[in-house]
Amino acid sequence: MEQQEQQTQGQGLPRIGEQAPVFDAVTTHGNISLNDYSGQWLVLFSHPADFTPVCTSEFVAFQEVYGRLKEMNTELLGLSIDSVSSHIAWVRNIEENFQTTIEFPIIADLDQKVATQYGMVMPESTGTETSRRSLSLMTTKKSGP
């Protein structure tokens, strides 16, 4: 019964040691796949909506540490269910109002496929703001033989 409920509500957060769900997605930097990050760490994070004050401050903060993360072989990848055009307009707004250029891609997850794979969808939600704040840190390095 519990397993059936989880399938109805979407997939839960990936657990430590589990293989991260593979995805292909449209982003502000073109099409991206999880496989594009092979051999690196990846921080995949979601936000509920573009143009909100809290999400904007989070993006500015992520951009401020992005250079240090890259030095540690770590990439950032944002996600929301807003469109690429909305993301681009928001990124431009951040640049104009906060003098901060967002250099990492943002997934336009309109069908909520990636968000569902990573447990980022609020099961009880019926509106468009279904992506909850979530962060997944993963390595795409293979372990073992």
Side-chain angles (χ1 to χ4, degrees):
M1 176 83 166
E2 185 177 313
Q3 190 174 27
Q4 185 180 12
E5 280 182 27
Q6 186 175 15
Q7 287 175 348
T8 303
Q9 295 175 350
Q11 188 167 333
L13 291 171
R15 297 173 191 243
I16 294 173
E18 288 182 348
Q19 178 109 13
V22 177
F23 61 83
D24 293 298
V26 177
T27 77
T28 53
H29 293 195
N31 293 332
I32 289 181
S33 168
L34 178 63
N35 296 326
D36 294 337
Y37 297 96
S38 180
Q40 301 174 306
W41 288 94
L42 175 64
V43 176
L44 172 63
F45 67 97
S46 65
H47 64 282
D50 295 347
F51 293 99
T52 62
V54 173
C55 295
T56 300
S57 64
E58 290 170 347
F59 266 64
V60 170
F62 270 126
Q63 182 58 49
E64 288 174 356
V65 299
Y66 187 47
R68 288 184 293 214
L69 291 171
K70 286 182 74 81
E71 290 172 7
M72 295 184 287
N73 197 33
T74 304
E75 285 293 329
L76 287 173
L77 180 57
L79 175 147
S80 88
I81 60 170
D82 292 321
S83 68
V84 169
S85 57
S86 175
H87 290 335
I88 290 170
W90 183 41
V91 165
R92 287 179 181 160
N93 181 275
I94 291 171
E95 188 168 356
E96 290 171 14
N97 292 303
F98 296 90
Q99 293 70 51
T100 300
T101 301
I102 303 300
E103 299 173 26
F104 51 86
I106 308 167
I107 294 174
D109 196 26
L110 296 170
D111 63 2
Q112 302 175 12
K113 185 176 178 183
V114 178
T116 299
Q117 286 180 298
Y118 282 84
M120 298 172 170
V121 175
M122 299 292 287
E124 65 279 358
S125 177
T126 58
T128 57
E129 292 184 22
T130 58
S131 177
R132 59 183 164 198
R133 278 184 175 68
S134 179
L135 183 132
S136 295
L137 174 63
M138 62 193 97
T139 181
T140 53
K141 295 179 183 179
K142 298 199 182 235
S143 59

